Amino acid sequence: MAKAEKKGGIVETVKTIVYALLIAGVFRTFLFQPFWIPSGSMKDTLLIGDFLFVNKMAYGYSYASCPSIIIPRFGIDIDAKDICGWADGDNSRLFGGEPQRGDVVVFRHPVTGRDFIKRLIGLPRDRVQMKAGLLHINDQPVTVEPDGQFVETAAPQGPQGLRPRCKEGPVGPGGTCTKDKFIETLPGGTQHSILDIAMQGSDNTSVYTVPEGHFFFMGDNRDNSSDSRVPNIAQGVGFVPYENLVGRADRVMFSSAGRSMLYFWTWRADRFFHRID
């Protein structure tokens, strides 16, 4: 009798775990996907260590909606195409919604398949160009207004120990690191913060004409972002197909300034449920 009860208890435990995994899988595939900001390419809109949920319902569903499970420590690398590759290739979406210029979007890199998060700058058929650090869309310059400086400490950030780039050039550990801050207004009226460090190659580009069914993305930390300004064949992002969009980022849930999001004593008090503009 005791053995039967023990066996029954084990079976129920296994069932509970399976049901929990199924529910979590459905939640992540169709509703929201967790995302932890690993780099500073979207400062100061998003900081290294911000934790958010990506709204997958915003743009409908494609093969990219299936989760990728990557745990290098255990040799696990399951790509979304391994699960939903049958839906890849026609650049379409189920219940597809149209992304809007200015949205902060998580998408799959067209070549590596890794998740990126950037701001949507160019829509299909748009002409996008950078001239002397100023964004031009369809041959018209966007409006930018000075908004002071973004100040941070020159120190390793996040689990990768990334050091920020500073307007002052190399700054010693613990020093003050600044970037010029501006408010950029995109066609349609969306306003957001951008950062500028120094004039560099990505501040002067050729004209990019966005193909039909594709989008052009840029990081808000303009001088520290690998984005659509660099073709994906040259280790950049290039134009991103519609089917590669994962979802829209609307709000930061919490943020850790430490090496791990589990270090609750490093959580930033002003980032809880912070709205993403």
Side-chain angles (χ1 to χ4, degrees):
M1 183 68 175
K3 288 184 178 180
E5 290 180 353
K6 183 177 180 179
K7 183 178 180 180
I10 293 174
V11 171
E12 289 303 315
T13 300
V14 171
K15 285 182 177 180
T16 300
I17 294 174
V18 171
Y19 291 152
L21 290 174
L22 287 173
I23 292 172
V26 170
F27 181 87
R28 180 167 179 175
T29 300
F30 295 105
L31 301 178
F32 300 95
Q33 175 176 316
F35 193 85
W36 193 31
I37 303 301
S39 74
S41 68
M42 281 295 292
K43 290 178 181 176
D44 65 334
T45 302
L46 296 171
L47 305 180
I48 295 177
D50 280 353
F51 181 84
L52 49 90
F53 282 102
V54 179
N55 181 0
K56 290 190 171 185
M57 298 176 286
Y59 308 136
Y61 306 97
S62 70
Y63 87 94
S65 302
C66 283
S68 296
I69 305 173
I70 303 170
I71 311 176
R73 183 176 180 182
F74 298 102
I76 298 175
D77 189 353
I78 302 174
D79 189 80
K81 286 187 177 181
D82 296 331
I83 304 172
C84 295
W86 54 270
D88 179 29
D90 61 358
N91 201 25
S92 64
R93 307 183 72 86
L94 182 64
F95 308 122
E98 289 299 320
Q100 302 298 309
R101 193 192 316 274
D103 285 357
V104 176
V105 180
V106 170
F107 58 88
R108 288 174 54 82
H109 189 285
V111 175
T112 68
R114 295 297 188 250
D115 287 342
F116 272 49
I117 185 166
K118 307 287 181 184
R119 189 176 299 277
L120 198 163
I121 297 296
L123 301 173
R125 299 182 299 280
D126 276 348
R127 292 164 49 85
V128 181
Q129 184 178 21
M130 293 293 291
K131 295 182 181 180
L134 181 63
L135 173 65
H136 289 64
I137 299 178
N138 296 324
D139 305 314
Q140 297 298 315
V142 301
T143 301
V144 294
E145 299 177 1
D147 191 36
Q149 290 188 319
F150 174 72
V151 182
E152 58 186 335
T153 301
Q157 299 177 355
Q160 302 177 54
L162 301 177
R163 291 184 175 275
R165 287 185 60 201
C166 311
K167 184 177 178 64
E168 301 86 353
V171 175
T176 299
C177 177
T178 66
K179 300 171 183 60
D180 290 334
K181 183 178 176 182
F182 299 87
I183 299 298
E184 180 177 83
T185 303
L186 298 176
T190 298
Q191 293 186 320
H192 60 275
S193 172
I194 60 171
L195 301 182
D196 177 73
I197 301 172
M199 192 62 65
Q200 59 185 41
S202 58
D203 287 321
N204 288 282
T205 72
S206 57
V207 176
Y208 303 97
T209 300
V210 186
E212 194 69 41
H214 291 71
F215 300 91
F216 190 97
F217 290 91
M218 293 175 65
D220 290 348
N221 191 0
R222 291 286 164 81
D223 295 333
N224 194 37
S225 174
S226 175
D227 50 39
S228 292
R229 289 172 289 180
V230 180
N232 54 47
I233 58 174
Q235 307 304 313
V237 171
F239 302 121
V240 178
Y242 182 42
E243 66 178 352
N244 281 40
L245 306 187
V246 175
R248 186 181 66 219
D250 295 323
R251 195 172 295 274
V252 173
M253 304 307 294
F254 68 90
S255 180
S256 172
R259 297 295 298 269
S260 170
M261 65 179 179
L262 300 179
Y263 296 172
F264 63 87
W265 57 90
T266 67
W267 289 2
R268 301 176 175 105
D270 61 339
R271 301 292 286 179
F272 284 102
F273 308 111
H274 178 76
R275 178 180 172 179
I276 299 173
D277 293 320

